[in-house]
Amino acid sequence: MTLLPVPDIAIIVVAAGSGTRLEAGAPKALVGIDAHTILRHALDGVFAAAPAQVIVVAPPGYEGDALAELEAAAGDRRDLGRVVTGGATRQQSVAAGLATLWGDVKTVLVHDAARALTPPSQIDEVARSVTADDGVLPVLPVVDTLKKVADGAVVEAVDRSELAAAQTPQGFPRAGLEAAYAKALADGAEYTDDAALFAAAGYRVRHIPGSALAFKITTPDDLDRARHLLTAAGTVSSASQPVAAVRTGTPRIGVGTDVHAFGGEANLWLAGLEWPGEQPLSGHSDGDAVAHAIVDALLGAAGLGDIGEHFGTSHPEYAGAHADVFLARTRELLVEAGFAIGNVSVQFQGNRPKFSPRRAEAQSRLAEILGAPVSISATTTDGLGFPGRSEGIAVTAVAIVFPV
Ligand code: CTP
Ligand code: MG
């Protein structure tokens, strides 16, 4: 028998809600998206992330169903998982999970089972970003124009640039989260999410970019959206090994190019990865020319316009956003228009960064976000042109999509 090291991360998957708004006649987590339930998809994502203690908080009376889903998703990590019974509120359900943490756990992630299609990379990113003092919240920019309303009248506009939509998993240092839960219990206070509870106890919560795929299944429309995403593009929750797209119509091809100059202060972002110590590319977003060329290739293949139309400077909510936000939204646009992605091939011209050591990592990260294979190559230009003078990077991407 192989003894696995005891992880210092725990993920509490809260699945004990009744799903009133879904109106499916069963606890929401046990409702099927396709052949698999919401809980099973959520757990597939959790077990595709780095090893962690996994605590599933089940609806009272459904512990056996939750255990069966846990066993199916866990594979050889079965020993890392357990099921506990949830409470009347989400906060009580999380508290039930917290009570069963192993002694070695230092970082606790709390995740809604209802966010069934959350990419494993988002789970890993949250876990990596938690510090000894600060919690971490994945957020998406708010894209709708927002208004304050009362009594049938519009009272005032709300500045959306100050707002963000909260997702899960939310990550916390264990000691702080336990102290914050003890305080909430003592105060008799009830919070809708853990970041609010943690902040109310005086701790700081930082935010990182979330993913469009981490949306919460709340209403029947959300369930349809999840079904559509799975049928159109293969099983999202095992997207680290993308499933071939369902091919039902004539394929369409698209090309995208992007050029960015080196410039600015922070680290480079390229191909969905942060490159510490490498000079960044300048741009409206993070300057990730590889991601931008892919977006144009995909939009072009589907006849959906271009990156400027969907993500340009008239969309300030995307300022500073990373590849995962752009690509997940692009994938959604394609799915909504009835296309599945076949594959994407990208080449960039540039002297830096040296790409081959991180090629596999970049390819699998982008493939996971798009739910389709992505290959990336890099070349120098023999000293010719702006890439050759190390002034910037030029990228070409080609994508193939299929009507579904
Ligand atoms: N949750 C829980 N225990 C509760 C209430 C909610 O574990 N007493 C979990 C849900 O299972 C879900 C997550 O918290 O994964 C987010 O809650 P929500 O989407 O509101 O789910 P429900 O409460 O089940 O749905 P509704 O509010 O429509 O009844
Ligand atoms: Mg609820």
Side-chain angles (χ1 to χ4, degrees), residues 199-227:
Y203 297 100
R204 192 165 63 152
V205 181
R206 289 174 305 110
H207 60 87
I208 63 169
S211 151
L213 288 171
F215 71 96
K216 183 156 74 74
I217 300 175
T218 305
T219 64
D221 278 351
D222 297 327
L223 189 60
D224 280 350
R225 183 177 168 202
R227 282 191 179 130

Side-chain angles (χ1 to χ4, degrees), residues 163-232:
L163 302 176
Q167 299 188 326
T168 72
Q170 302 179 358
F172 308 92
R174 173 188 185 158
L177 188 63
E178 285 179 336
Y181 261 84
K183 181 171 185 320
L185 186 67
D187 296 348
E190 191 73 32
Y191 299 90
T192 48
D193 76 352
D194 309 284
L197 180 147
F198 189 73
Y203 297 100
R204 192 165 63 152
V205 181
R206 289 174 305 110
H207 60 87
I208 63 169
S211 151
L213 288 171
F215 71 96
K216 183 156 74 74
I217 300 175
T218 305
T219 64
D221 278 351
D222 297 327
L223 189 60
D224 280 350
R225 183 177 168 202
R227 282 191 179 130
H228 202 41
L229 281 163
L230 290 175
T231 2

Side-chain angles (χ1 to χ4, degrees), residues 17-215:
S18 52
T20 327
R21 289 167 287 178
L22 192 60
E23 296 176 326
K28 179 159 77 178
L30 298 166
V31 172
I33 306 181
D34 47 12
H36 290 160
T37 61
I38 289 176
L39 177 59
R40 172 65 192 278
H41 279 284
L43 290 173
D44 282 346
V46 164
F47 282 103
Q53 183 192 6
V54 176
I55 302 159
V56 179
V57 187
Y62 292 86
E63 294 84 351
D65 304 76
L67 185 62
E69 300 294 40
L70 175 69
E71 283 173 349
D76 61 4
R77 293 196 201 166
R78 171 63 193 88
D79 290 349
L80 299 183
R82 64 167 300 176
V83 173
V84 299
T85 308
T89 64
R90 185 183 181 285
Q91 192 171 311
Q92 287 171 21
S93 293
V94 176
L98 277 175
T100 64
L101 291 177
W102 285 333
D104 289 334
V105 167
K106 303 261 180 316
T107 298
V108 180
L109 270 54
V110 183
H111 188 35
D112 290 338
R115 297 181 190 276
L117 305 188
T118 303
S121 57
Q122 176 160 328
I123 299 170
D124 285 335
E125 194 61 43
V126 169
R128 263 198 300 272
S129 306
V130 173
T131 67
D133 300 316
D134 295 347
V136 173
L137 173 70
V139 299
L140 277 190
V142 174
V143 288
D144 290 321
T145 296
L146 300 176
K147 306 283 182 193
K148 211 173 210 171
V149 294
D151 300 330
V154 175
V155 181
E156 60 177 322
V158 178
D159 180 5
R160 70 177 173 211
S161 67
E162 292 179 356
L163 302 176
Q167 299 188 326
T168 72
Q170 302 179 358
F172 308 92
R174 173 188 185 158
L177 188 63
E178 285 179 336
Y181 261 84
K183 181 171 185 320
L185 186 67
D187 296 348
E190 191 73 32
Y191 299 90
T192 48
D193 76 352
D194 309 284
L197 180 147
F198 189 73
Y203 297 100
R204 192 165 63 152
V205 181
R206 289 174 305 110
H207 60 87
I208 63 169
S211 151
L213 288 171
F215 71 96

